[in-house]
Amino acid sequence: MLLVRHVLVALPLLVGWVDVAHADPPNVAESDRERARQLFAEANQFGRRSDFRKAKSSLSAAWALVKSWDIAVNLGTAELKLGHYRDAAEHLAWGVREGSIKMGESNEAVVKSRALLAQAAMRVGTVKLDVDQPGATVLVDEQ
């Protein structure tokens, strides 16, 4: 069995804020949805004021409750602004993949998120590992 893991190494850059409406995924408790909506709205206010530390905090809390593409791309955007490039690339990649499925490849927010992902990707390196042990797990920094 072949297992491929990516290790990302960060370097600095800054970009813009993605402003999209919050979309709820299915199978999430209503109380969690409502709290995630509140946190998302709060984070957007922080983002508009360029307070990306607070935006990241609110979006991380929302992400813990609800995994949605719009939370992911906004979290990735805040991380990119803060110089957390590996995390930004991870969340932006997840958001672009899911947003493309739900909203379509040409959706304006998806297109902007893809551009942000490209900027994050320019600041990280990728290492490809090929493992020949069936069922092997490769961890980097306990992840």
Side-chain angles (χ1 to χ4, degrees):
M1 177 177 185
L2 175 66
L3 176 68
V4 177
R5 289 289 236 195
H6 293 96
V7 180
L8 301 174
V9 182
L11 306 168
L13 173 76
L14 292 178
V15 297
W17 186 249
V18 177
D19 192 10
V20 296
H22 178 63
D24 289 324
N27 304 321
V28 175
E30 186 56 38
S31 60
D32 288 345
R33 286 178 197 262
E34 184 53 38
R35 181 65 184 136
R37 281 187 205 110
Q38 292 168 353
L39 290 163
F40 186 84
E42 176 181 281
N44 275 319
Q45 292 301 315
F46 290 134
R48 286 188 188 100
R49 292 193 306 259
S50 297
D51 190 344
F52 298 108
R53 287 194 197 297
K54 288 182 180 176
K56 179 183 184 286
S57 178
S58 294
L59 288 163
S60 293
W63 181 251
L65 296 170
V66 176
K67 303 288 190 273
S68 68
W69 77 274
D70 51 344
I71 293 173
V73 297
N74 279 283
L75 178 56
T77 301
E79 290 165 337
L80 197 55
K81 287 288 202 175
L82 293 169
H84 305 164
Y85 303 109
R86 188 202 63 84
D87 294 338
E90 183 178 322
H91 288 115
L92 286 164
W94 194 96
V96 165
R97 183 179 61 247
E98 294 299 312
S100 295
I101 293 167
K102 291 181 175 44
M103 304 302 291
E105 292 285 328
S106 61
N107 175 275
E108 183 180 346
V110 172
V111 170
K112 186 173 183 180
S113 299
R114 191 175 292 112
L116 294 172
L117 174 58
Q119 291 182 23
M122 290 186 328
R123 302 296 185 234
V124 297
T126 302
V127 176
K128 180 180 176 183
L129 301 175
D130 293 324
V131 180
D132 62 0
Q133 193 65 246
T137 301
V138 177
L139 300 175
V140 176
D141 292 336
E142 300 179 24
Q143 295 185 15

